[in-house]
Amino acid sequence: MRRRNRWLVLVAAVLLGLVLVGAGSFYVVFKWFARRTEPPMNALNIYTDTLIHDDFQSAYQIAAPSFRTSVRFQDLVDYHTKLTAKMGKLNFAKQTDWDVDDENPVATATITTNLQFERGTETFQFFLRREDGIWRVVSYKGPNAKVIGGQ
């Protein structure tokens, strides 16, 4: 009987060890993933929050310099004014897919986001780049493949 108890304890210890190794591995992979994806996703959250609050001046200022070079402020306002006239007020944004490449000299991210308006949802693709350590919106593609911004 004692021999059987030792085997049970040994099997339980091995199983517990495997669970702990698996959990530790998951934690390491999750932290790596979060470290890569969280900064550009947070930057986009800030950007879309400015659009939700109709704060186009802030949206324009926090965008990449290349965005501001290729898009006049009034063009940004006009685009979003027409969009909200058609779709209603922008209520929230939900990121649905992302691809972050931070292993090249210029880190980039492409984030697909559903913008939920009063009268429906439109899917946008936002392109971000890390410049001087800060993730910024470079351009985005809205309905009908209209591109706002530059590269």
Side-chain angles (χ1 to χ4, degrees), residues 18-37:
L18 289 173
V19 167
L20 291 175
V21 167
S25 298
F26 176 77
Y27 176 77
V28 168
V29 169
F30 178 78
K31 289 300 278 184
W32 172 82
F33 176 76
R35 183 181 52 77
R36 281 185 75 216
T37 60

Side-chain angles (χ1 to χ4, degrees), residues 100-147:
V100 178
D101 180 4
D102 63 353
E103 295 177 8
N104 289 316
V106 177
T108 60
T110 302
I111 303 175
T112 303
T113 304
N114 289 335
L115 298 184
Q116 179 65 50
F117 296 87
E118 288 176 319
R119 294 188 289 274
T121 302
E122 294 285 358
T123 300
F124 283 73
Q125 265 195 320
F126 288 86
F127 305 96
L128 293 88
R129 183 169 45 225
R130 187 171 57 211
E131 298 177 348
D132 298 323
I134 300 170
W135 284 94
R136 298 178 182 271
V137 172
V138 175
S139 64
Y140 50 100
K141 185 171 20 174
N144 303 322
K146 175 152 175 75
V147 177

Side-chain angles (χ1 to χ4, degrees), residues 63-83:
S66 60
F67 180 93
R68 294 190 305 270
T69 299
S70 62
V71 177
R72 292 180 323 131
F73 173 69
Q74 191 56 50
D75 292 340
L76 176 71
V77 172
D78 291 347
Y79 177 78
H80 285 283
T81 300
K82 288 176 187 171
L83 186 60

